[in-house]
Amino acid sequence: DTEVTQTPKHLVMGMTNKKSLKCEQHMGHRAMYWYKQKAKKPPELMFVYSYEKLSINESVPSRFSPECPNSSLLNLHLHALQPEDSALYLCASSQEGPWANVLTFGAGSRLTVL
Amino acid sequence: AQTVTQSQPEMSVQEAETVTLSCTYDTSESDYYLFWYKQPPSRQMILVIRQEAYKQQNATENRFSVNFQKAAKSFSLKISDSQLGDAAMYFCAYTQGGKLIFGQGTELSVKP
């Protein structure tokens, strides 16, 4: 399995809703990432987990809450989002060692906040 | 600050022709990695090619090759024999210290 799987592909939520994005990989990668991407812009790093511990938080608002229950799974919990949070959310994973910098990306979850 | 600059927001190439996408970066580090990622309309980001800064030899992957000029901090991507499936947004990226820093992207269109 050489894929990063993200669900759902599309999500529409109101500003008072609570929802979650899910990311899964079975490549044995020990680092997992959340990126936010606006249309025709580069991805912006949000969080990095290494060995299931949060190692980087790029000053993301607390309405985004990451969780890494195990080495294969990464969640992003969403609560009280704003319309400007509408974007494509990309999950990625990577190996350790010399290939640590090569990220495998999922297809993303398109989030719309009404 | 680490920065990556792609000066061509859009480019166009005729099918079967060659096109070069430019990228410059700024770093004070001596050991780092450079990448080109491709993001087609299907939106999944795919690694095209990777270059280790300590290697002088330019990386090549089939029709894709780079021109890495370390002193000039330049890392251009050449696509030979362009195909319709090459149409995508191309991001140059630089990494060091666990973070991948992307350029603003170049949108490549391929004309039949």
Side-chain angles (χ1 to χ4, degrees), chain A residues 37 40 58 98 101 105 107, chain B residues 33 39 43-44 50 99:
Chain A
Q37 186 180 26
K40 295 193 181 287
E58 291 288 279
N101 295 302
F105 284 86
Chain B
Y33 298 86
Q39 189 175 35
R43 74 194 192 194
Q44 185 152 10
R50 171 183 184 253
K99 292 186 182 183

Side-chain angles (χ1 to χ4, degrees), chain B residues 40-89:
Chain B
S42 65
R43 74 194 192 194
Q44 185 152 10
M45 193 83 74
I46 303 165
L47 177 67
V48 175
I49 202 162
R50 171 183 184 253
Q51 175 82 43
E52 294 95 335
Y54 64 87
K55 289 188 177 179
Q56 293 185 342
Q57 186 173 4
N58 290 325
T60 299
E61 286 288 340
N62 300 315
R63 298 182 295 106
F64 299 88
S65 61
V66 298
N67 183 3
F68 174 47
Q69 302 288 329
K70 190 172 183 179
K73 296 180 181 175
S74 171
F75 183 61
S76 60
L77 175 70
K78 186 171 82 171
I79 306 174
S80 304
D81 185 25
S82 297
Q83 300 175 359
L84 295 177
D86 295 332
M89 183 73 87

Side-chain angles (χ1 to χ4, degrees), chain A residues 16-43:
Chain A
T16 59
N17 292 157
K18 285 186 180 181
K19 297 284 185 183
S20 297
L21 306 180
K22 179 181 172 182
C23 173
E24 200 163 1
Q25 58 88 15
H26 297 286
M27 295 177 282
H29 290 178
R30 301 314 298 265
M32 296 186 78
Y33 309 76
W34 280 116
Y35 282 85
K36 173 184 177 180
Q37 186 180 26
K38 292 281 197 178
K40 295 193 181 287
K41 295 292 185 183

Side-chain angles (χ1 to χ4, degrees), chain A residues 9-10 33 35 37 40-43 45 48 56 58 88 90 98-99 101-103 105-110, chain B residues 33 35 37 39 42-47 50 52 89 91 95-105 107:
Chain A
K9 287 185 169 31
H10 300 275
Y33 309 76
Y35 282 85
Q37 186 180 26
K40 295 193 181 287
K41 295 292 185 183
L45 182 63
V48 181
I56 296 176
E58 291 288 279
L88 181 67
L90 294 169
W99 290 96
N101 295 302
V102 178
L103 272 58
F105 284 86
S109 293
R110 174 79 63 193
Chain B
Y33 298 86
F35 304 85
Y37 279 89
Q39 189 175 35
S42 65
R43 74 194 192 194
Q44 185 152 10
M45 193 83 74
I46 303 165
L47 177 67
R50 171 183 184 253
E52 294 95 335
M89 183 73 87
F91 291 101
T95 187
Q96 188 268 333
K99 292 186 182 183
L100 193 62
I101 311 297
F102 289 92
Q104 290 299 304
E107 188 168 17

